[in-house]
Amino acid sequence: MSAAPLDREQLMGKVMGDFAGAFSALLVRVGEQNGLFKALGQGPADSVVLAARAGAAERYVREWLSAMAAAGYVTYDPAIGAFSLSPAQAALFAEEGTPFYLPPFADLLAGVYCDEPKITAAFKSGEGIPWNDRHGCVFCGMERCSRPTTAAFLVDWWLPALDGLTERLKAGGKVADIGCGRGGAVIAMAKAFPNATVHGFDLHPGSIEHARATAAEMGVTNVRFEVAAAKAFPGDGYDLVTIVDALHDMGDPVGAARHVRQALKPNGTWMVVEPLAEDRLEDNFNIRGQLAYAASTCICTAVSLSQEVGLALGAQAGPTRLKSVLAEGGFTRIRRVAENANNIVLEARP
Ligand SMILES: C[S@@+](CC[C@H](N)C(=O)[O-])C[C@H]1O[C@@H](n2cnc3c(N)ncnc32)[C@H](O)[C@@H]1O
């Protein structure tokens, strides 16, 4: 059962809070682009000092600081007229590279806002929006959001949860990551298992190009990136196939599952990482669900509808629906092996 509807005053408070948050998110991006959070991380400052540190215009910085302090994203001490970052504020806004660092979400949001006319038009036409047609901030936001999570969880938590997999990959083996985007998971696995060969496949040529350049820059050589659809990626005899936060974006996830099955060794494993969700719509009525359904409406559903079949699972499909897709694709042994605050991890074996 959903909670009782809020009365008008309560609802007004909730919605205005959300809208204020949407503006704040935009200013998080502006602040990050101008180096304001990192500059404030160097120590307490008023707007004159911060503007000088960051090389930005003082009047804008002054208003930005007021907005961020009103949002609770920075701290203001009226006794000395200075702003600063608490340890929690620094972790979320100034210390890049951990899953706690949130400005990359503002990249995604900026990209989605730029794409609003396309999204509005799609509601009328019913057509999809291919990944290739999205604003550039969506690609960089996606990479920046997923790379730290992948670094924190994939190698140390998710792969060890799969039956016997890490031992196999230490000795060698062949891995494919499908819907690999800019290659964060591929590069992380290649570095962790230097004796294995890791292939990354994605429909989006721009992401594949970016992934190749990143791997070359990092000197990671046991990887190969190719433009390919999930239903048609080349090769077989894979020990492990992974799909990280991409199955629900695919037009034909059942077709993808069938293709993965035939590409695996008979004793191979498929790992599917998907956004955390409960099975029942009403059990997702919380902040996570609000965010995920909104992103799914604007991005994931539109990508899936742009492809063959257009199943449009949505980013909150829930474990039962996901398992049924895997089973339809011919997998018989399916287990939920891990989860964190944002993701569930399924292991599927033929
Ligand atoms: C949400 S992004 C996730 C990217 C990456 N796995 C990550 O975690 O950063 C989804 C990716 O799936 C890719 N994709 C969508 N449909 C696909 C399909 N049918 N075949 C291959 N890739 C697909 C998109 O191009 C996009 O790069």
Side-chain angles (χ1 to χ4, degrees), residues 131 142 146 179-181 202-204 228-230 244-246 249-250 303 307:
W131 192 254
M142 187 57 61
S146 72
C180 67
D202 198 288
L203 266 186
H204 181 226
V244 180
D245 193 22
D249 292 305
M250 295 172 182
V303 175
Q307 298 179 19

Side-chain angles (χ1 to χ4, degrees), residues 6 29 44 69 93 96 108 113 116 124-125 128 132 137 145 147 153 161-162 198-199 223 230 262 283 292 294 328:
L6 302 178
R29 181 167 156 81
F93 298 117
E96 198 165 353
L108 264 183
Y113 268 61
E116 177 276 323
K124 282 273 183 290
S125 69
N132 202 29
C137 283
C145 287
R147 197 177 283 275
F153 293 103
L162 305 174
V198 189
H199 297 171
V223 294
Q262 64 80 37
D283 293 334
E328 247 188 282

Side-chain angles (χ1 to χ4, degrees), residues 59-101:
R59 184 64 191 93
Y60 280 109
V61 171
R62 198 188 330 154
E63 209 65 9
W64 179 87
L65 278 167
S66 302
M68 292 292 91
Y73 296 2
V74 309
T75 302
Y76 178 59
D77 182 351
I80 54 168
F83 298 83
S84 60
L85 294 178
S86 69
Q89 289 163 342
L92 267 56
F93 298 117
E95 292 162 7
E96 198 165 353
T98 81
F100 300 112
Y101 184 72

Side-chain angles (χ1 to χ4, degrees), residues 96-129:
E96 198 165 353
T98 81
F100 300 112
Y101 184 72
L102 297 183
F105 285 93
D107 289 348
L108 264 183
L109 208 63
V112 170
Y113 268 61
C114 290
D115 282 341
E116 177 276 323
K118 286 182 190 169
I119 298 162
T120 300
F123 270 69
K124 282 273 183 290
S125 69
E127 285 172 11
I129 307 172

Side-chain angles (χ1 to χ4, degrees), residues 185-262:
V186 173
I187 292 170
M189 290 190 281
K191 283 173 70 178
F193 303 104
N195 295 324
T197 307
V198 189
H199 297 171
F201 300 109
D202 198 288
L203 266 186
H204 181 226
S207 292
I208 289 297
E209 227 170 88
H210 197 284
R212 283 184 187 138
T214 307
E217 219 171 87
M218 294 173 78
V220 180
T221 54
N222 54 331
V223 294
R224 198 180 91 206
F225 290 101
E226 254 179 66
V227 175
K231 281 164 69 169
F233 65 87
D236 54 18
Y238 287 104
D239 295 277
L240 171 69
V241 172
T242 58
I243 297 189
V244 180
D245 193 22
L247 187 72
H248 65 273
D249 292 305
M250 295 172 182
D252 184 6
V254 174
R258 288 199 188 101
H259 190 70
V260 170
R261 192 184 183 291
Q262 64 80 37

